[in-house]
Amino acid sequence: DVKVTQSSRYLVKRTGEKVFLECVQDMDHENMFWYRQDPGLGLRLIYFSYDVKMKEKGDIPEGYSVSREKKERFSLILESASTNQTSMYLCASSLAGGEHEQFFGPGTRLTVL
Amino acid sequence: GEDVEQSLFLSVREGDSSVINCTYTDSSSTYLYWYKQEPGAGLQLLTYIFSNMDMKQDQRLTVLLNKKDKHLSLRIADTQTGDSAIYFCAETGTYKYIFGTGTRLKVLA
C-alpha cells in the first residue's frame, strides 16, 4: 500500500524558532511537494523537488527552505517561524512529470505562538 | 492569472445529487483531477478526466468537462453523509498541479 508519512500531526512552536517538517514516501517517487492549506485559499505550493538534491520554488516560498538529500525524504524548514506561518502543511509525492496522481500525507498542523 | 476557482461551500440533503463546479485556467492541461479531503486527513484522488473527453462516469461520480469555457464539474449522485468533505479540482502543468480553493460539501441527514 502506497504511503506518505509526515513526522508530526500537530506541532506548536514559538516565534523565531527553527522548525523542521519531515516527509517520507515509500513509493520510489521522483517528485515531492510541500503545500500549505489555509481556509478559503486552498492548497498553495511552497516548494517541490523532482529529483534528489533538486528543488524548485513554488508559489509562496518566502520564509521557507527545503532539503532533499535522499529520494524518499523531503524536508521543509522554517528558518525563523512567524505567526503567519500557522497553517496545515501537506506533503505529497508523485511519479516524474506533472500529470500523475499525487499521493498525500496526513498533514501537519503547525501553530506558531 | 493562475487561479482555479471553486465555490467555497455546498450544502445538500442526503439522497440528493451534488454538483461541484470548477473553472480552470490552462487549456493545455492534459488531465484534470478531483481530490477529496476528509476531516483531519490529507487529499485522496477521487477521479480524473483526460482533456480530450467530455464526460467520465465512475459509479456515483460523473465528471463533465467543457474545454471551451474551461469549466469542470463533479456530480455525486445519491449523496451520502460519508461524502461530506472538501473537494478540490486541480489542473496539471509541467511539474506541478494548480489546485482550486476547495469546496466544502455538507450533507444534511
Side-chain angles (χ1 to χ4, degrees):
Chain A
D1 199 16
V2 298
K3 207 163 183 185
V4 179
T5 56
Q6 294 183 229
S7 50
S8 306
R9 291 301 303 272
Y10 300 95
L11 210 52
V12 180
K13 296 290 181 180
R14 294 205 174 274
T15 301
E17 281 193 82
K18 191 168 186 175
V19 182
F20 292 87
L21 302 182
E22 305 282 343
C23 175
V24 178
Q25 50 98 2
D26 64 1
M27 296 164 280
D28 202 34
H29 282 166
E30 289 80 11
N31 292 346
M32 296 189 75
F33 307 84
W34 275 107
Y35 297 90
R36 63 177 281 178
Q37 181 181 10
D38 300 288
L41 297 177
L43 270 67
R44 292 181 291 168
L45 182 64
I46 304 171
Y47 268 96
F48 65 100
S49 168
Y50 53 89
D51 201 353
V52 176
K53 297 193 187 293
M54 305 302 290
K55 59 186 179 185
E56 292 286 338
K57 291 180 180 179
D59 301 315
I60 51 163
E62 296 79 18
Y64 303 95
S65 61
V66 289
S67 172
R68 188 143 180 228
E69 296 296 317
K70 293 185 178 181
K71 191 175 185 181
E72 66 270 19
R73 187 179 296 270
F74 192 35
S75 303
L76 180 70
I77 303 150
L78 286 67
E79 295 289 342
S80 177
S82 62
T83 54
N84 64 11
Q85 292 178 310
T86 291
S87 187
M88 171 70 89
Y89 290 87
L90 292 166
C91 174
S93 71
S94 77
L95 292 169
E99 297 174 343
H100 295 284
E101 176 184 358
Q102 292 192 8
F103 293 85
F104 283 81
T108 296
R109 184 164 292 283
L110 172 67
T111 302
V112 183
L113 302 174
Chain B
E2 280 196 339
D3 289 342
V4 177
E5 296 183 353
Q6 300 179 239
S7 53
L8 290 181
F9 299 101
L10 177 65
S11 181
V12 299
R13 295 207 173 275
E14 193 175 16
D16 287 350
S17 292
S18 308
V19 179
I20 302 170
N21 294 303
C22 171
T23 303
Y24 62 97
T25 60
D26 187 354
S27 57
S28 66
S29 294
T30 306
Y31 291 96
L32 293 142
Y33 288 93
W34 284 103
Y35 280 77
K36 178 182 180 182
Q37 183 183 33
E38 296 187 354
L43 279 69
Q44 282 192 304
L45 179 66
L46 193 60
T47 188
Y48 67 93
I49 188 166
F50 192 53
S51 60
N52 69 355
M53 298 169 67
D54 298 324
M55 185 180 89
K56 179 181 178 182
Q57 186 139 11
D58 184 1
Q59 299 182 337
R60 291 190 299 122
L61 305 177
T62 304
V63 180
L64 295 177
L65 176 60
N66 180 332
K67 287 192 75 173
K68 176 176 168 291
D69 294 337
K70 295 182 187 171
H71 186 263
L72 181 72
S73 68
L74 173 70
R75 179 177 180 268
I76 306 172
D78 187 25
T79 312
Q80 303 297 307
T81 53
D83 295 324
S84 291
I86 303 176
Y87 292 82
F88 292 91
C89 63
E91 60 179 354
T92 55
T94 306
Y95 283 111
K96 59 181 186 173
Y97 286 13
I98 299 169
F99 282 93
T101 49
T103 299
R104 185 179 293 274
L105 174 64
K106 184 173 181 179
V107 182
L108 306 171

